[in-house]
Amino acid sequence: MLELETANVRVGAVAASKEDAIRQVAALLARSGCIVPGYAESMLAREKVANTYLGKGVAIPHGMPKDRELIRRTGIAVLQVPGGVAWQPGDTARLIVGIAARSDEHLEVLGNLTGLLYDDEMVARLAVTPDPGEVIAALSAPRVDAPLSEPGEPFEAGLAVDAVVGSAHGLHARPATAFAEAAKGFDAEVMVRHGAHRANGKSLAGLLRLGVKAHGRVRISARGPEASAALAALKRLIEEGEPEEIFLGGPTHGWAPRAAGATVRGLAASPGIAIGPVRLLRQRKIVVERCAKDPERERRRLSEAISAARAELQELHHEVREKSGAAGAAIFLAHAEFLSDPDLLARAERRIARAESAGWAWRETIEEEAEPLARLDDPLLAGRATDLRDVGARVLRRLAGVIEGECELPSEPVILLADDLTPSDAAALDPARVLGFCTSGGGPTSHAAIIARSLGIPAVAGAGPVVLHQREGVAAVLDGDNGFLYIDPSPEDLAAAREAQRGWAGLRGAEHRARHEPALTTDGVRIEVVANTGLAREAAQAVEAGGEGIGLMRSEFLFLERATAPSEEEQYAAYREAAEALAGLPLIIRTLDIGGDKAVPYLDMPAEENPFLGVRGIRLCLAHPALFRTQLRAIFRASAHGSIKIMYPMIASVSELREALAITEQVRQELGAGRLDVGIMIEVPSAVVMAPELAGLVDFFSIGTNDLTQYVLAMDRGHPQLARQADGLHPAVLRMIDQTVRAAAGKSTWVGVCGGVAGEPLGAVILIGLGVTELSVSIPSIAAIKARIRDVSMADAQALARRALACDSAEAVRGLVKGAG
Ligand code: PEP
Ligand code: MG
């Protein structure tokens, strides 16, 4: 970080012109050995291509990047011109902060200065103070490697702790939202200090204004009845940070043009190929009156517009979460939080009291926040400005008299070109009409990119202003894998792109071709991917789809929709057919799992008030020993034709398992058959709790997340209204799986999962990270699940699993991964 030395501060200066001021500040830098004198010319050159006026009388001249070799060491200098110097039409500079930075250290000073701009009193004082020490104190940030003071030391009449921001992108919108929300939950005043700047810990805008980067140090202080609890919770929150998104990857299209003509180069933001005419998205302009006569009425209008916008954002959050997953949706919660910011509202109301209309006051307040952020060279801070303006416009539209040039989304399929897409724009994209998009701003981590990935819309971001200068309607190919937009490609390239698109979007060919390859993580750990089947004939389909066996044969399929139970012979034929089709690959036959939602007429099962909590699974088999024995006889006989294992469903207690094992052993002895591996489904919470005891009695566990989820969350697995919440990735379910795996470790009992979670890309990665070694999935999911496993290392899967276990909701788990939905 930059040090401001006394020799580099000159107060009470007079400058005849902007050039004179820049030369004076350059002379300060040169005198202290920071630059060679020629750097002054570079600073003047910069003025011709960039605006270095920051606002409120502060300017930050600095040289061109190409002239960095003229910098001997990083430094800043401040020239105070109390009488002011014209910087650009309408703007007078009084504090001229010259920056000579060899790398990006100047961004921190910019952050401090930006914060300073909100402290009108302080800026005004610094412009006239005769004391250079005051300028130094205001602009110097604390050293990042030195603690501000001992944790817990009293601070501003309260308690304080120091914390280092753990979020990979600093304290930006999402982690800051989480912080402000958590702070509001405590009966305490919370203040956050970063360097010389402070923010109300309950104000999102205030927190963002601090401009804290990753690993930046902050001091959190609190005062009030719950101060200690608040500090402990907020420190944890800030240090845990926001997990980095992990992109699970997928097939690439592999297309490249043979003769690239006009090419726009940007950043790969969402994979895939889009082919179609380009269309420019024009920004809308919202017109509001400046003055209003009745402040009371305006205050009311503002409050109503904010409430309506907040409700709209909640709705949008819900909608986008459904459509695109939690990661893409989270920004709308942050937007709603902006609207609860007490500072923003107070400032807008002060303007209204000065006879400004609600719309004007609101827009000016938002611009005061957004403008200085947007000016900075830092894309993350600029992204915050986009968010502020997006949420600001949402309120403004409700207050506006006129909306000029209302943006029209295309009615026919196009590749959309835009300056940037706000999260609201992105949420409104219809994949049927927007084939892809390319923006001049933004990047792969912007919300628009996250939403595009989850909607499967190819996208390129950060491609620069050239994006906006394309001829409307011209044909183009957008390559979202590599970040290119090819304008007016040759007919041959167009045809090849279409071909590649078909291949990519169609069969996801590569995955399919690799379906018979083993599923090895990038660091070489093999995971068995097997199939869930019902009927015997599906065994051959499972093998053809790449299954390495059958992890769950739901034998009840043979028993359903018929008037009498299948005979031993009929069952033997079915199990033998499946075993033979697998040609030595494992076949796990689950013994009869009826009851619950599956009833059969021939068993004379009494109606139950709660069938899922009634006589089902192994309970039913133990209540009908003849039925159970017949099935076991058929299984033992079929085992001569393949590698068969037996699995009992719905085990809830050790005694049940012992009873089932005893019957199985009797049948085996009666037949004189060889011993078979025996396992149990883990799908009842009591089985998880008793897993250490159960593991000692069986060869394997297969976790049935479908039932486990319904029993852990007390949510009927078929309930239409609860379907969304009964999510197998709920941390409560994941923690049960973790407990099961740990109980089995050391007992030579392997653990697989055959519930639906195993067939989801995200679920599969989390499960293997938890230590599950076999995934049994539906036949169509086999190739994709194998491909996902090949994309990750076990180390990454374990890290993801740890983060998933630490989440507090299924939504948060799904939000860990880009586009996981
Ligand atoms: C389960 O409960 O997760 C499971 C695989 O069994 P079923 O869906 O057949 O109840
Ligand atoms: Mg089940």
Side-chain angles (χ1 to χ4, degrees):
M1 81 139 252
L2 299 185
E3 293 279 352
L4 183 51
E5 302 154 21
T6 319
N8 279 6
V9 179
R10 184 168 162 216
V11 295
V14 176
S17 64
K18 175 177 170 181
E19 180 179 338
D20 181 25
I22 290 175
R23 288 195 185 283
Q24 288 190 48
V25 84
L28 288 174
L29 286 167
R31 215 172 47 207
S32 61
C34 293
I35 57 170
V36 300
Y39 194 68
E41 304 310 319
S42 182
M43 291 169 98
L44 290 168
R46 180 102 188 188
E47 295 301 315
K48 295 204 172 74
V49 294
N51 172 18
T52 62
Y53 183 80
L54 207 54
K56 305 243 167 99
V58 180
I60 47 162
H62 48 289
M64 305 290 283
K66 68 176 175 51
D67 295 326
R68 278 192 183 148
E69 74 277 12
L70 302 178
I71 300 172
R72 289 207 182 111
R73 66 182 173 83
T74 292
I76 65 169
V78 179
L79 185 77
Q80 181 210 59
V81 185
V85 55
W87 205 260
Q88 58 187 20
D91 288 326
T92 300
R94 289 191 171 77
L95 274 181
I96 294 114
V97 183
I99 300 174
R102 289 193 67 87
S103 66
D104 279 343
E105 301 101 317
H106 68 292
L107 288 180
E108 276 185 39
V109 176
L110 286 181
N112 291 340
L113 283 167
T114 321
L116 193 64
L117 295 187
Y118 296 95
D119 191 341
D120 290 357
E121 225 176 88
M122 176 69 110
V123 187
R125 206 168 58 239
L126 293 184
V128 294
T129 179
D131 176 9
E134 199 173 350
V135 177
I136 293 172
L139 294 194
S140 300
R143 297 182 66 84
V144 213
D145 51 356
L148 292 168
S149 65
E150 289 309 307
E153 178 190 286
F155 175 67
E156 290 167 345
L159 296 173
V161 290
D162 290 342
V164 174
V165 171
S167 183
H169 298 298
L171 197 57
H172 67 95
R174 286 186 300 259
T177 302
F179 189 98
E181 267 182 4
K184 283 181 193 161
F186 291 100
D187 183 7
E189 284 172 55
V190 177
M191 176 137 42
V192 180
R193 197 179 93 187
H194 177 58
H197 310 297
R198 290 188 199 140
N200 174 351
K202 300 183 180 184
S203 159
L204 175 59
L207 290 170
L208 292 182
R209 221 180 288 138
L210 293 174
V212 190
K213 296 185 174 172
H215 313 303
R217 188 178 291 275
V218 294
R219 159 156 297 194
I220 313 165
S221 56
R223 183 169 49 188
E226 294 181 346
S228 310
L231 287 182
L234 295 172
K235 178 179 165 71
R236 198 172 341 108
L237 198 62
I238 220 158
E239 297 203 323
E240 270 172 9
E242 190 199 41
E244 267 178 73
E245 276 189 299
I246 296 173
F247 184 35
L248 285 180
T252 56
H253 58 69
W255 173 82
R258 292 172 133 243
T263 304
V264 176
R265 185 190 190 124
L267 301 165
S270 176
I273 289 189
I275 304 166
V278 297
R279 160 90 183 266
L280 204 62
L281 181 75
R282 284 171 222 293
Q283 295 304 331
R284 55 219 124 176
K285 191 167 168 218
I286 305 176
V287 183
V288 283
E289 292 289 319
R290 180 171 190 144
C291 299
K293 289 203 186 81
D294 181 353
E296 198 39 56
R297 177 174 174 267
E298 295 305 299
R299 249 194 299 276
R300 216 172 34 246
R301 287 183 66 224
L302 178 61
S303 156
E304 282 165 10
I306 288 178
S307 301
R310 206 183 288 121
E312 206 172 272
L313 283 163
Q314 302 288 2
E315 181 69 15
L316 196 58
H317 171 254
H318 186 73
E319 227 176 76
V320 175
R321 197 186 59 202
E322 289 307 294
K323 204 161 66 170
S324 323
I331 187 61
F332 298 111
L333 285 185
H335 281 194
E337 183 64 28
F338 271 125
L339 296 181
S340 308
D341 191 307
D343 286 3
L344 277 185
L345 196 63
R347 277 166 41 207
E349 286 189 342
R350 275 201 295 276
R351 284 179 164 274
I352 290 176
R354 296 200 298 261
E356 289 181 11
S357 75
W360 187 274
W362 177 251
R363 188 168 65 196
E364 292 300 300
T365 306
I366 291 287
E367 271 310 300
E368 271 174 19
E369 288 286 328
E371 229 250 313
L373 293 173
R375 276 170 192 257
L376 301 179
D377 277 349
D378 182 331
L380 273 174
L381 293 176
R384 288 170 205 173
T386 306
D387 281 330
L388 263 166
R389 286 176 170 148
D390 188 12
V391 72
R394 188 173 290 281
V395 174
L396 208 52
R397 278 195 290 276
R398 298 180 167 272
L399 296 169
V402 191
I403 299 180
E404 286 176 359
E406 175 72 82
C407 124
E408 264 177 51
L409 283 166
S411 52
E412 76 289 356
V414 293
I415 294 174
L416 210 55
L417 307 181
D419 186 9
D420 204 353
L421 288 180
T422 63
S424 307
D425 291 333
L429 296 182
D430 172 0
R433 285 182 291 166
V434 178
L435 303 167
F437 68 78
C438 179
T439 56
S440 66
T445 58
S446 69
H447 303 291
I450 294 173
I451 292 174
R453 283 194 291 272
S454 56
L455 290 175
I457 299 178
V460 172
V466 64
V467 171
L468 307 175
H469 299 123
Q470 303 304 322
R471 204 156 30 91
E472 294 254 13
V474 67
V477 177
L478 182 128
D479 172 359
D481 289 22
N482 301 299
F484 290 103
L485 177 69
Y486 298 102
I487 304 292
D488 201 9
S490 69
E492 295 75 29
D493 277 334
L494 214 48
R498 285 214 171 88
E499 182 63 38
Q501 190 186 39
R502 268 196 293 275
W504 187 84
L507 270 180
R508 315 234 295 184
E511 280 179 3
H512 184 69
R513 280 193 297 279
R515 69 195 183 282
H516 294 303
E517 305 293 320
L520 294 170
T521 59
T522 55
D523 42 4
V525 179
R526 181 165 185 173
I527 302 296
E528 231 179 306
V529 181
V530 289
N532 288 349
T533 62
L535 301 169
R537 63 168 182 272
E538 287 173 347
Q541 295 163 14
V543 175
E544 156 53 24
E548 297 166 307
I550 290 178
L552 167 64
M553 181 179 183
R554 290 181 165 106
S555 67
E556 59 274 10
F557 276 57
L558 208 56
F559 291 69
L560 299 174
E561 288 171 29
R562 52 191 298 158
T564 54
S567 66
E568 181 183 319
E569 276 316 299
E570 189 179 344
Q571 290 188 58
Y572 163 72
Y575 306 147
R576 178 180 171 169
E577 181 189 339
E580 285 180 343
L582 291 171
L585 294 172
L587 166 63
I588 298 180
I589 301 177
R590 178 174 74 183
T591 56
L592 198 51
D593 182 13
I594 45 181
D597 55 347
K598 301 168 202 149
V600 294
Y602 47 87
L603 278 186
D604 193 21
M605 296 158 67
E608 293 176 305
E609 217 166 295
N610 290 305
F612 275 122
L613 304 181
V615 182
R616 65 167 292 203
I618 197 70
R619 295 172 197 164
L620 184 130
C621 286
L622 296 176
H624 295 83
L627 188 77
F628 190 37
R629 284 171 171 276
T630 304
Q631 180 171 39
L632 288 169
R633 287 178 64 84
I635 293 174
F636 274 112
R637 285 174 57 204
S639 69
H641 304 277
S643 172
I644 292 182
K645 304 176 203 295
I646 298 174
M647 177 157 76
Y648 308 131
M650 288 292 298
I651 291 288
S653 67
V654 176
S655 60
E656 270 171 353
L657 174 57
R658 287 193 198 283
E659 204 180 329
L661 284 170
I663 296 174
T664 305
E665 180 58 16
Q666 273 173 14
V667 172
R668 185 187 75 78
Q669 287 181 9
E670 281 161 22
L671 289 171
R675 202 191 160 276
L676 297 182
D677 276 4
V678 176
I680 57 171
M681 297 276 300
I682 298 282
E683 49 189 348
V684 180
S686 61
V688 175
V689 177
M690 300 307 289
E693 286 76 7
L694 295 168
L697 298 172
V698 292
D699 301 293
F700 64 92
F701 287 159
S702 186
I703 302 175
T705 51
N706 307 336
D707 275 314
L708 188 59
T709 304
Q710 89 164 338
Y711 294 129
V712 167
L713 299 179
M715 290 180 188
D716 184 335
R717 62 192 265 182
H719 198 297
Q721 272 158 286
L722 298 175
R724 211 175 298 134
Q725 295 164 61
D727 188 335
L729 285 182
H730 193 291
V733 181
L734 296 180
R735 290 177 199 186
M736 288 248 142
I737 296 172
D738 179 51
Q739 201 176 323
T740 306
V741 172
R742 283 190 284 116
K747 295 252 171 41
S748 70
T749 305
W750 59 263
V751 183
V753 173
C754 59
V757 171
E760 283 190 52
L762 173 60
V765 176
I766 292 175
L767 291 173
I768 67 169
L770 288 173
V772 166
T773 56
E774 179 237 45
L775 300 173
S776 193
V777 305
S778 68
I779 294 173
S781 305
I782 293 171
I785 291 300
K786 282 182 144 182
R788 291 294 77 75
I789 291 166
R790 292 187 200 110
D791 282 344
V792 289
S793 68
M794 187 48 89
D796 280 351
Q798 284 167 344
L800 181 64
R802 273 197 301 278
R803 295 212 313 248
L805 288 175
C807 286
D808 63 6
S809 67
E811 250 171 53
V813 173
R814 291 189 180 279
L816 292 174
V817 172
K818 289 176 190 171

